[in-house]
Structure formats: C-alpha cells, structure tokens
Amino acid sequence: MILNVAKIICAEQWRYWMRTKVAATVLLLGAMLTIAALVVNAFHVDEAAHTRDHLQTEAEQRFEAQPDKHPHRMVHYGHYVFRAPTPLSVIEPGVDTYTGNAIFLEGHRQNSAMFAEQHQSAGLTRFSSLTPSFLALVLAPLFIILIGYGSLSREREAGTLTLLLSQGTTRWQLLLGKLLALITASSLFLLPLLLACLYVAFSNESALVVILFCLSYVVYFLLWATVVTACSAIFEKSSVSFTVLVVIWMSACVLLPRLGSSVATNIAPSMGKLEADFKVEEKLRSLGDGHDVNDPAFKKLKEDLLAKYNVDSVDDLPVNFRGIVAQYSEGRQAKVLNEFAETRMTEELEQAQIARQFGWLSPTVAVRSISTILAGTSLETHHRFLREAETLRLEFVQALNKVHAEKLDYKLDMNRNASEEAADKAVVGADNWAILAEFDFKPEAGSTRISNALIYFIQLLLWMGLTALLLQAAVRRLNP
C-alpha cells in the first residue's frame, strides 16, 4: 500500500518537473554533460593506452637497435617506460592527471614522471577537471538540489500538503514518493556511469572491483537525494531549503575537500623540490665521481680488488676497473636516491591519508577515496609505478656496467680520448644491448584495492546511517 501511493506521488512529481522548464533543462543538461564527459574521456583513455603501448615497444626497439658503442654511452642514452591507463580511469583518472605517465631512465639519477596533463602546486588530493567522476561527485549533487529542493516545501507553500494528509496519505508515503521521484531523476546522471562500468566489466578489470565501484556512486547519489528530500520536508519555505542545501553542497563538495588538502599540507609538510634536489646532489657528491677512477672515494675499492686478484696494478686486473667503479658508484648512488625517494613518497602518502580522513566529514571525500583506489589511479599506485621503474632502471644500468667491466679492455678504455681511432676501439658489440626486461605495469590486484578502500566504505556507511536518521527527523517535521 505504501509503495503504491508512493509511486502515484512519484509520477505526479515527474509530471510537475516536465511542466517546469527549469527542472527539465537541469535534467537534460546534467545527462548531456555526463555523457559528453564519458565519451571524451573514453576516447582519450583508449588513445592513450594504444599510444603508450606503441611508445613502450618503440623505446625498447630503439635501445636494442643502437650500434656498437661504449657501454657507458648507453647508460646515458637511457630508456623510457610508460604506464598505460587502467580500465576504470575512463571514469576516475585520479592523480594520473597530475603525476605523469612516463619516466626517462638513465644512469646516476632518478627522473620524475613526465607528460602530465595538468600541473598544480599544492598536492595530489584536489579534484581534477571536468571528468566523469568530477561531474558525479561535485556537479551532480548541485543538479539534484536544483531539481528537488522544493519538492515538499512547495506542497506546504501551495497548501496542498494539508489536502494530501487529510485524504489519508501518510507522511512516510508522501516522503517516500518524493524521494523515489528524486532518485529516478538522479539516475539520469548515474546511468551513463553505470553503462561505462558495464563496458569496463568486460575488460581485464575485476568484476568485484567494478561492482563495488558502481555501488559507491549509487550510494552517493542516494545520499544526496535523501538529504535534499529531507531538507525540503524540514524547512517550511523553499528559499530556506535551497539556501541550506547550497551551503551543504559547498561545504561537502568544495570546501571540505580543499580544506583537507590544505590541512594535510600543514600537518605533514614536505620538503620543496628545489631544497630536496640540493640535498640529494650534496649527498651524491660525497660518494665520489663514478667517472673518475682516481677519486679518493674509490681508494678502498681499488685496494680490495688488487688484493683479491693478487696483482700490483689495475692494468693487471682481469676486469675493467672503470666498469667496476661504475657498478660500485651506481649502487651507492641508487641507495641514496631511493632513500630520498622513499622519504618523499612517505610524506606524500601521509598527506593523502590525512586528507582522506575528511571523509568522516564529507561523503564526497569518502567516495573520492574509494573511487581512486578501486580505479587504480590512487597515489599508492603511482608510487608503485615509480618503484618498479626504478628497479628496471638500476637493473639495466648495472647490466651495462657489468658489460663495461667484463667485456671492454681497461687500457683501451683509458686511452679512448687519445684519438678518433682509439675511441672507435673502445666499444663493445651491439648484441650486449639486449638486456632490457619487459615493463608492463599493472594496478594492484583487485583484492588489494578492495582491502585498501575498506576504511572509506566504512565512512560511507556512517553517512548512510546519518541520512537515515535525517529522514526520520524529516518525517516528524513534515507538518502543514
């Protein structure tokens, strides 16, 4: 009985919206924006995936196609690695928009990721541009407010609320009917996202991840529909209801996410890039110059090698001392670079986690956290990309240094700058360049991402409980 009456009220509300140009315009505009954002982003992601896959293959082929040359020149020739977009990045690009998707790997240094689509100065926790997730999390709630802020207060102002209640319609029936109408209206914004998720489900993405990803957005839209309906019931005038809802929207969707980013930056400040670069360079200089075998930093290494092979001079070593120094120096430099990189990533992750705690204050932040983690576009995934790229960098640089030590004569190496002819002799064969391991970065396993997002699902459950309480309060306040 309750549902039958609620359906009638829902249908009547829809007839009113169709007669109202503002409501119809908002519904149409919201649906068109969502579809347009999805289509544009889908084409962009598909193009990016194919482009990065092609560039990765091309980078590997170019590296291995280099002619005979000195192995240390190949260390500086370097190599590129690319990260392909994840299937769910069609909806939620996350931090990928800011962090870059390619890294140039070379000896003696760790380069930053390049080719980011946008740049910002204060952190990786802000919302991106007009992406499908931004539309769903920020603009869609505003559209829901514009449609439903007067759904019940209008009945009170027009005097029809008394008539409806006197005819036997209960407060719950009336409230549920209006809520059902707003939920169905919200589905016009949500449906394109769900269809996109259905498309993603047929890719290599985990089905459970896709389901939970969809569920988080469905719950988010239900929360906003409930809040809008409840406020319309609680406040007697539509103008007051609208004002309160806009304040709630500004706080939840704009101010609190931005405040979370600012608070995180202040609570867990990180070293500026310029300052960090100076510290890294200072530390690396103290390790010695790996290009100079006579640097005092390698005196102990030289003594140990001479003792190991029982010879009196590096000329008599069965290995190229310059290659050994390069190996030794690169290993020590990598240790320092990794220490600074891990410190930076720890600071960034701490900031992100602090900002995510604002999900207890805003459902927008909670769903944003769930969305980026499940989509594989979170800060944690980016950090793993950096670590895997660094592992590959060190492997191929040290492999080249090993070639330098074992396959290039020391005397020819030391005499390479004497003449052009000498330089031509101080080379190794191009067959030594087939040392690159395949780089095929994938996001974390679905179970890992779900586990990482669990706390933010709890935040969302809290908001579901609070809106249920708000709905009960709205029923009690629903008086003529």
Side-chain angles (χ1 to χ4, degrees):
M1 180 62 181
I2 293 179
L3 287 178
N4 289 334
V5 176
K7 289 178 182 178
I8 294 172
I9 295 171
C10 172
E12 181 58 36
Q13 183 65 37
W14 266 101
R15 279 192 288 270
Y16 171 77
W17 282 335
M18 291 300 98
R19 293 195 305 268
T20 308
K21 293 182 179 179
V22 173
T25 302
V26 170
L27 288 170
L28 183 61
L29 177 62
M32 289 177 61
L33 277 175
T34 305
I35 293 172
L38 276 170
V39 170
V40 170
N41 217 43
F43 275 112
H44 171 75
V45 168
D46 184 65
E47 181 184 8
H50 285 92
T51 300
R52 293 175 202 175
D53 182 64
H54 170 73
L55 290 174
Q56 186 68 70
T57 302
E58 185 178 13
E60 293 169 0
Q61 291 174 346
R62 284 186 177 181
F63 185 91
E64 295 177 359
Q66 291 302 300
D68 297 353
K69 63 173 63 177
H70 193 285
H72 200 71
R73 288 183 61 192
M74 289 300 292
V75 168
H76 289 287
Y77 178 81
H79 176 53
Y80 280 96
V81 291
F82 297 86
R83 178 175 52 141
T86 64
L88 282 172
S89 63
V90 170
I91 299 171
E92 177 56 90
V95 301
D96 293 3
T97 311
Y98 304 112
T99 54
N101 51 63
I103 301 178
F104 177 61
L105 309 178
E106 61 178 325
H108 320 318
R109 62 186 302 173
Q110 288 180 357
N111 293 313
S112 302
M114 302 178 292
F115 309 135
E117 296 168 26
Q118 300 179 22
H119 300 278
Q120 63 176 21
S121 59
L124 306 172
T125 54
R126 297 184 187 177
F127 286 108
S128 59
S129 58
L130 202 62
T131 61
S133 62
F134 179 84
L135 282 169
L137 294 175
V138 179
L139 294 187
L142 182 59
F143 292 153
I144 294 172
I145 291 171
L146 292 173
I147 295 169
Y149 74 92
S151 57
L152 280 162
S153 55
R154 177 180 59 83
E155 303 283 4
R156 185 185 285 112
E157 290 173 336
T160 52
L161 180 58
T162 303
L163 180 61
L164 287 169
L165 294 177
S166 65
Q167 289 177 342
T169 304
T170 66
R171 290 177 173 82
W172 269 113
Q173 289 172 336
L174 185 57
L175 196 67
L176 289 177
K178 298 293 186 179
L179 178 59
L180 183 60
L182 197 53
I183 289 172
T184 53
S186 304
S187 67
L188 292 177
F189 310 132
L190 185 61
L191 185 59
L193 294 180
L194 298 181
L195 292 175
C197 287
L198 182 63
Y199 169 78
V200 169
F202 288 98
S203 65
N204 296 325
E205 188 56 272
S206 163
L208 183 57
V209 167
V210 174
I211 290 171
L212 291 175
F213 184 87
C214 292
L215 184 61
S216 66
Y217 279 93
V218 170
V219 171
Y220 183 71
F221 275 63
L222 287 175
L223 291 178
W224 275 104
T226 303
V227 169
V228 172
T229 304
C231 286
S232 183
I234 290 172
F235 299 103
E236 296 182 358
K237 294 184 178 182
S238 297
S239 58
V240 176
S241 172
F242 179 75
T243 302
V244 171
L245 286 168
V246 169
V247 170
I248 293 174
W249 174 79
M250 283 289 295
S251 301
C253 297
V254 181
L255 297 179
L256 284 172
R258 181 64 187 91
L259 181 62
S261 179
S262 299
V263 169
T265 303
N266 289 320
I267 291 179
S270 59
M271 190 184 303
K273 186 179 186 305
L274 186 61
E275 182 183 358
D277 287 346
F278 274 123
K279 287 184 176 294
V280 170
E281 289 298 325
E282 182 181 5
K283 183 67 175 179
L284 292 179
R285 280 197 296 269
S286 69
L287 301 178
D289 182 3
H291 298 91
D292 182 7
V293 295
N294 296 314
D295 193 299
F298 309 121
K299 181 179 179 181
K300 180 71 166 52
L301 174 66
K302 179 179 177 181
E303 293 173 350
D304 290 344
L305 274 175
L306 294 177
K308 177 181 178 180
Y309 291 102
N310 194 26
V311 295
D312 298 325
S313 169
V314 293
D315 293 340
D316 300 323
L317 287 171
V319 292
N320 186 330
F321 183 56
R322 290 192 74 243
I324 296 297
V325 168
Q327 279 186 304
Y328 176 74
S329 176
E330 191 68 43
R332 297 178 72 195
Q333 288 176 344
K335 184 177 179 181
V336 170
L337 291 171
N338 285 336
E339 287 175 357
F340 276 91
E342 288 297 329
T343 299
R344 185 194 71 250
M345 287 189 283
T346 299
E347 291 171 347
E348 290 176 350
L349 187 57
E350 185 179 359
Q351 289 180 355
Q353 289 173 339
I354 291 172
R356 288 171 185 168
Q357 296 310 308
F358 276 69
W360 301 107
L361 302 176
S362 165
T364 306
V365 177
V367 177
R368 169 69 166 174
S369 301
I370 294 170
S371 181
T372 54
I373 291 173
L374 292 184
T377 56
S378 65
L379 189 60
E380 291 90 336
T381 303
H382 173 66
H383 285 168
R384 195 166 59 80
F385 169 62
L386 297 180
R387 291 187 180 99
E388 291 189 15
E390 169 56 19
T391 298
L392 179 66
R393 184 197 75 85
L394 188 58
E395 284 178 357
F396 96 80
V397 169
Q398 290 295 58
L400 289 170
N401 287 333
K402 184 179 180 181
V403 170
H404 189 174
E406 297 178 356
K407 298 187 178 182
L408 183 62
D409 182 77
Y410 178 70
K411 293 179 181 178
L412 290 176
D413 194 11
M414 292 299 291
N415 195 44
R416 70 191 186 283
N417 294 324
S419 65
E420 186 175 340
E421 182 181 356
D424 291 339
K425 292 181 180 180
V427 299
V428 297
D431 58 310
N432 290 289
W433 311 150
I435 56 172
L436 291 176
E438 182 180 357
F439 188 82
D440 184 21
F441 182 80
K442 300 292 184 185
E444 297 86 349
S447 58
T448 302
R449 281 178 278 162
I450 292 170
S451 176
N452 292 341
L454 184 59
I455 182 63
Y456 309 112
F457 276 109
I458 295 175
Q459 291 177 347
L460 198 55
L461 285 174
L462 170 68
W463 284 104
M464 290 174 64
L466 291 176
T467 51
L469 293 176
L470 180 63
L471 202 60
Q472 289 182 347
V475 171
R476 291 194 296 268
R477 289 291 304 271
L478 188 57
N479 298 310

